[in-house]
Amino acid sequence: MADSISDLQKDTFYWQRLLRLAGYYHGAIDGIPGNGTRNGTERWSTDADRYKMEIGCFDERTERNISTLLPEAQKAARQWFKLVRNEAVNQGYEAKIICGTRTYAEQNDLYRQRPKVTNARGGQSWHNFGLAWDFGIFQDRNYLPNHPLYTTLGKLYAKIDGLEWGGTWKSFTDPPHLQLHQFGSISEARRSFET
């Protein structure tokens, strides 16, 4: 998985597409890190830093994963996570955002994994467009993949405008998953990203 924003920036084509999706880049998707890409990256960083200052900074792993999200998703993730972190601590646990943006290749690797962890191939997940994140619950540094607290914390999504929680889905319930809706459909996001 892309562990940080610098991992995503290594694939200039992908990075230019994310910058364009965020509204920070209007040039050709050519894989050349020119002035347009640099200016877009600076605007991304400026907005991301502003949200961090306004809302708060978290543990290193959470910060790395938040950094991979589109800045508007970073804002929502920070608002939501601030609530989640406090609730988890009140109950004797620690919460972390353990996954942010994934490339198409990373998504396809997850899709092929058994036992099944996702129904989405590359280009079919909001993670591919910097608009989704997954969280984990920990106790004494031990990751707890199945715990009732996922539901309690996930439900806090309702306090943040534009969030959807995977725990409400009917066909493939995904309690650790949250996403920000900036597009009407995944197809619309994919078209905007790929063209």
Side-chain angles (χ1 to χ4, degrees), residues 12-32:
T12 306
F13 285 103
Y14 204 88
W15 180 238
Q16 287 174 331
R17 286 185 171 107
L18 282 176
L19 287 172
R20 183 174 59 196
L21 207 58
Y24 300 141
Y25 180 72
H26 306 287
I29 304 298
D30 57 12
I32 300 169

Side-chain angles (χ1 to χ4, degrees), residues 111-128:
Y111 178 78
R112 289 188 291 271
Q113 208 175 67
R114 296 296 177 254
K116 192 174 207 171
V117 295
T118 183
N119 282 332
R121 289 186 168 105
Q124 298 175 340
S125 170
W126 293 102
H127 283 283
N128 302 144

Side-chain angles (χ1 to χ4, degrees), residues 15-66:
W15 180 238
Q16 287 174 331
R17 286 185 171 107
L18 282 176
L19 287 172
R20 183 174 59 196
L21 207 58
Y24 300 141
Y25 180 72
H26 306 287
I29 304 298
D30 57 12
I32 300 169
N35 287 335
T37 306
R38 283 188 287 280
N39 291 339
T41 300
E42 285 178 25
R43 288 183 57 208
W44 175 300
S45 295
T46 298
D47 284 347
D49 289 345
R50 179 168 41 92
Y51 296 139
K52 188 187 292 188
M53 292 291 292
E54 289 172 0
I55 301 165
C57 190
F58 307 108
D59 65 273
E60 184 180 337
R61 184 174 185 181
T62 296
E63 285 298 326
R64 280 194 321 265
N65 286 299
I66 288 176

Side-chain angles (χ1 to χ4, degrees), residues 1-2 5 8-9 11-22 44 65 67-70 73 99-112 118-134 169 174 177-180 182-183 185-195:
M1 299 303 136
I5 193 70
L8 289 173
Q9 291 171 340
D11 181 344
T12 306
F13 285 103
Y14 204 88
W15 180 238
Q16 287 174 331
R17 286 185 171 107
L18 282 176
L19 287 172
R20 183 174 59 196
L21 207 58
W44 175 300
N65 286 299
S67 77
T68 68
L69 302 172
L70 268 59
C99 180
T101 300
R102 296 193 281 251
T103 65
Y104 283 18
E106 291 167 336
Q107 187 68 37
N108 285 329
D109 288 346
L110 273 181
Y111 178 78
R112 289 188 291 271
T118 183
N119 282 332
R121 289 186 168 105
Q124 298 175 340
S125 170
W126 293 102
H127 283 283
N128 302 144
F129 310 115
L131 294 167
W133 61 92
D134 295 332
W169 297 344
D174 192 2
H177 177 93
L178 289 105
Q179 59 194 36
L180 178 67
Q182 287 193 326
F183 295 92
S185 69
I186 195 81
S187 298
E188 184 183 332
R190 186 171 50 250
R191 268 193 310 277
S192 295
F193 184 78
E194 292 178 355
T195 56

